[in-house]
Amino acid sequence: MPLPVYLLSMAIFAMGTSEFMLAGLLPDIAADLGVPVATAGLLTPAFAAGMVVGAPLTAGLARRRPRRAGLLGLLGLFLVTHVAGALTGDFTVLFVTRFLAALANAGFLAVALTTATGMVPADRRGRALAVLLGGVTIATVAGVPGGALLGTLLGWRATFWVVAALCVPSALGVVLGVPPGTARPDGPVPDLRRELAELRRPRLVLVLSLGALVNAATFGTFTFLAPIVTGVAGLDPLWVPVVLVLFGLGSFIGVTVAGRLSDRRPGLVVAVAGPSLLCGWVVLGLTAVHPAALLVLALVQGALSFGLGSTLIARVLHEAPGAPTMAGSYATAALNVGAVAGPALAAATLATGSAGTGPVWVSGALVATALLLVLPFRRVVVRP
């Protein structure tokens, strides 16, 4: 795998850390800025909304620029928003910086996806994607508990400063690893209308929908792991970062293994991981009261969720050959539509009589929907 792919993954780690770090910082932010915790919680959907909007918007604006220049510009915007967030004492300003940071994050990921997959042969795109998403999964392992610990010791602003600092070596990596040149080295940049027209292709819409459903299932439960750990399993709050780390470790294993299979045997990954993921959510819904089962299934479900999700996103790049500069943005937007919809659906179950496991059953229903949708069109994901 080319070195630039790993360097891009380092930048994505910094951005992934920013996306997930608020999970342990909201109470401190609310107290410091004088707003209710529920108001501070709006920072999370602000980031998610920025990701959905930012992927196609920033990718479209950067498509005619050299990829290195585009990546550096987006990384610079990301750094500035975190410096501003660390300095502000106004919640509205912080809210705006989170939205802008998400725009930069989404655009960077979209451009990085097309850049990385353009550096390798077609039969290694899945592995390149796995390396990039490895930055996100490592962020879930280190970023969430690390950000929470740093915020506890030094205050929530310190976490913002650390993320800003991580952008510096990431920018150096982009400069050293991504060669200057046109946005599409193998020819002129295609017309934007032609690239957008790809979204009318049923095969591409199908794979995007499957990716969104699986990611919705993933984040539907991941978002509410803390109350499941403490309220359902009855564990001490100190076990929350342990479960988050297990889920993140599983996700890293999942994208690594799937990355080696998704190029040549995507059908095998979907056929094995899909039903296994559904069974895992059902078993977790039934056994979450048992701490041992929760710990094991956090690792397993993390691996299956990200293994299946990364394979489906790799299929997006295969199914959008006519959108070489925008395909990454389509994949990024689909992932984040799921990241918004999944927690919203899961949250609606918390007021019901589901005994705290409602989010798990929502995740199971979303995966079941994806499997029912893929059955009539399984050749779309089986074809290498």
Side-chain angles (χ1 to χ4, degrees):
M1 194 58 56
L3 177 61
V5 178
Y6 292 97
L7 296 175
L8 288 172
S9 180
M10 179 174 64
I12 290 173
F13 164 75
M15 294 184 169
T17 298
S18 175
E19 181 177 2
F20 297 120
M21 69 183 183
L22 289 187
L25 301 177
L26 288 181
D28 290 340
I29 292 174
D32 188 21
L33 299 183
V35 298
V37 174
T39 301
L42 295 175
L43 295 172
T44 298
F47 198 95
M51 290 287 286
V52 173
V53 174
L57 176 62
T58 54
L61 293 175
R63 61 195 298 272
R64 293 189 179 276
R65 295 181 60 82
R67 283 177 176 165
R68 187 169 73 178
L71 291 169
L72 287 174
L74 292 165
L75 195 55
L77 174 61
F78 189 79
L79 186 155
V80 169
T81 59
H82 281 76
V83 171
L87 293 173
T88 188
D90 184 86
F91 177 78
T92 301
V93 174
L94 182 60
F95 183 92
V96 172
T97 64
R98 292 306 290 169
F99 182 80
L100 293 176
L103 288 178
N105 187 351
F108 187 95
L109 180 57
V111 177
L113 285 173
T114 52
T115 300
T117 53
M119 292 179 178
V120 298
D123 62 353
R124 301 192 72 189
R125 287 178 178 173
R127 292 190 64 180
L129 179 63
V131 171
L132 287 183
L133 292 182
V136 178
T137 59
I138 293 174
T140 65
V141 176
V144 174
L149 178 62
L150 187 63
T152 300
L153 297 177
L154 301 176
W156 67 270
R157 297 178 190 275
T159 307
F160 277 69
W161 282 116
V162 168
V163 172
L166 286 173
C167 292
V168 176
S170 299
L172 181 61
V174 172
V175 171
L176 296 176
V178 180
T182 60
R184 189 186 178 202
D186 59 338
V189 178
D191 182 73
L192 180 59
R193 287 175 296 182
R194 290 179 55 191
E195 294 206 55
L196 294 175
E198 289 286 293
L199 291 172
R200 295 199 294 264
R201 297 181 64 243
R203 296 171 66 94
L204 178 58
V205 173
L206 171 66
V207 180
L208 287 170
S209 300
L210 293 174
L213 284 167
V214 170
N215 210 46
T218 301
F219 282 91
T221 293
F222 179 80
T223 302
F224 298 101
L225 273 179
I228 292 173
V229 170
T230 57
V232 179
L235 291 171
D236 188 271
L238 291 175
W239 281 94
V240 172
V242 174
V243 175
L244 292 173
V245 167
L246 285 173
F247 190 93
L249 181 60
S251 67
F252 180 75
I253 294 171
V255 296
T256 301
V257 173
R260 297 180 179 277
L261 295 173
S262 61
D263 288 317
R264 299 178 182 177
R265 304 292 301 276
L268 176 64
V269 176
V270 175
V272 173
S276 299
L277 182 61
L278 173 58
C279 292
W281 290 129
V282 172
V283 173
L284 180 59
L286 296 173
T287 63
V289 294
H290 304 292
L294 175 61
L295 293 173
V296 172
L297 286 168
L299 178 71
V300 172
Q301 293 302 94
L304 292 172
S305 294
F306 276 79
L308 179 59
S310 64
T311 298
L312 291 171
I313 294 307
R315 299 311 304 166
V316 172
L317 302 179
H318 280 279
E319 293 296 334
T325 69
M326 295 295 291
S329 72
Y330 302 157
T332 303
L335 285 175
N336 285 282
V337 166
V340 173
L345 292 171
T349 69
L350 296 179
T352 67
S354 59
T357 58
V360 179
W361 294 111
V362 167
S363 295
L366 289 167
V367 173
T369 302
L371 292 177
L372 291 174
L373 184 61
V374 79
L375 279 177
F377 308 102
R378 53 188 177 274
R379 289 186 180 181
V380 174
V381 294
V382 167
R383 190 182 67 178

